[in-house]
Amino acid sequence: MNHSEKYEAAFVSALGISKDDLPGLQYQGVAAWDSIGHMQLIFALEEAFGIMLDTSDIIDLSSFEKGKELLRKYDVEL
Amino acid sequence: MDLLKGKIALVTGASRGIGNAIAELFAQNGASVYANARKIGSLDSLLAKCENSSGRIMPLYFDVTDAAAAKQAVMRIKKESGRLDCLVNNAGIMPDALIGMIDQKVAREVFEVNVFAVMELIQLAARVMVRQKSGSIINLASIVGVNGNKGQLVYSASKGAVIAMTKTAAKELAPAGIRVNAIAPGMIDTDLFRSVGAEKVSGLLRNIGLGRLGKPSEIANAALFLASDMASYVTGQILGADGAALV
């Protein structure tokens, strides 16, 4: 899997949603992306890319698109 | 007894006193214990004591107020063990001062160690526990966090904050299967407590219903219960372990 596929897979597995739901997806935009879902998502992203996100970035991760931007700080290009 | 067989635990402030007793008892009960302390080598005696335990001790030296180091520590646990079943937030400091003598710098240090480091570790541990949909977080509060005590405005406020964090985290993390509880010890026979002086200690004994100081092992027993599946329906509780002390 390339980075983009890993990124999508993390959202799909952590939030239990379909790939079709990803474009434009926002925090709390679906029931599964609540505060607990957010922690699951963070864990999934950290596992997928072998990183540990800073708290400020966890708070900033407010959408599917924003996450891509944040991961660049960890040398993950999508 | 192997109440924690196969479980992975992180115990902060494990080089002495209550944290040391908790780490030892957890290892005796089959847990793999990441024992934290600041000073390198200060966990050597704990390692030696637990050599023949059914569990094991793995030293993790870092300062709990160093957020980056705490993150690295949890990351290491995640990488090595793949999970974290129990976090014991024990590390704490207790500089006493009457109201007129409170140094703001010291007050901030107390909150850094006793409150903000606890908050940080709850966040980090929860990220791992949420994934596994289980976990037990145990925070060491204090009887003075419940009742207050003369000369301990800062310390009691910090422990009061620990109690409030415990109750809130329990509510927030319950849907993820994570239990959060606190222990509120009374007067326990540790180096920290003895530092107030022998005369003061003997005076304080009169205020304890059971007529003696508690032992660190007695607080460890409470932690063992909360960490184990015996407490599977217990969350958001502040367990007093104070021998009916009057504070």
Side-chain angles (χ1 to χ4, degrees), chain A residues 13-14 35-36 39-40 42-44 46-47 50-55 58, chain B residues 71 74-75 78-79 120 123-124 126-128 130-131 133 172-173 175-176:
Chain A
S13 73
S35 67
I36 298 288
M39 281 195 272
Q40 286 176 313
I42 297 301
F43 186 93
E46 289 175 341
E47 282 269 287
I51 56 172
M52 198 140 187
L53 296 165
D54 290 334
T55 305
I58 293 170
Chain B
K71 196 167 91 167
V74 173
M75 205 167 174
K78 199 167 83 170
K79 271 191 182 154
E120 181 83 29
Q123 286 183 302
L124 290 166
R127 276 153 67 182
V128 181
V130 155
R131 182 72 169 180
K133 293 188 169 36
E172 203 170 314
L173 296 174

Side-chain angles (χ1 to χ4, degrees), chain B residues 49-74:
Chain B
K49 271 195 291 187
C50 297
E51 229 172 39
N52 298 317
S53 296
S54 55
R56 63 191 177 132
I57 299 287
M58 290 159 289
L60 257 186
Y61 291 106
F62 67 94
D63 182 339
V64 292
T65 63
D66 180 342
K71 196 167 91 167
Q72 286 297 324
V74 173

